[in-house]
Amino acid sequence: MTTILRSDEFTCPSCVDGIESALTRLAGVRAATVHFGTGRIEVEHDPGIATASDLVMRVKEAGYTARVSPF
């Protein structure tokens, strides 16, 4: 499953590596791609292991606020 998150808090491209790394260390996450210019975060994950709420919490732990987005 792919879940889309959005964040308006990216201030520099260095945010990208930190968030991607934090997400991919979460059990059940296969891949994470952060698009700095749009604030879009695409996460491929098993929702039975890592829920959308888990993803949002992991981004928060990395220092950013994110929300689930339909697109």
Side-chain angles (χ1 to χ4, degrees):
M1 171 181 196
T2 299
T3 295
I4 306 299
L5 305 177
R6 294 271 180 187
S7 179
D8 300 325
E9 296 187 341
F10 301 158
T11 56
C12 66
S14 66
C15 305
V16 172
D17 288 339
I19 294 170
E20 288 177 347
S21 178
L23 285 167
T24 56
R25 286 194 311 263
L26 183 64
V29 173
R30 289 182 286 280
T33 304
V34 175
H35 301 275
F36 174 75
T38 61
R40 180 182 168 106
I41 306 168
E42 300 170 6
V43 186
E44 292 182 36
H45 65 105
D46 180 339
I49 299 172
T51 66
S53 294
D54 294 333
L55 305 177
V56 169
M57 182 58 69
R58 184 53 66 108
V59 173
K60 183 176 181 179
E61 290 171 357
Y64 304 93
T65 300
R67 63 192 178 287
V68 176
S69 176
F71 54 90

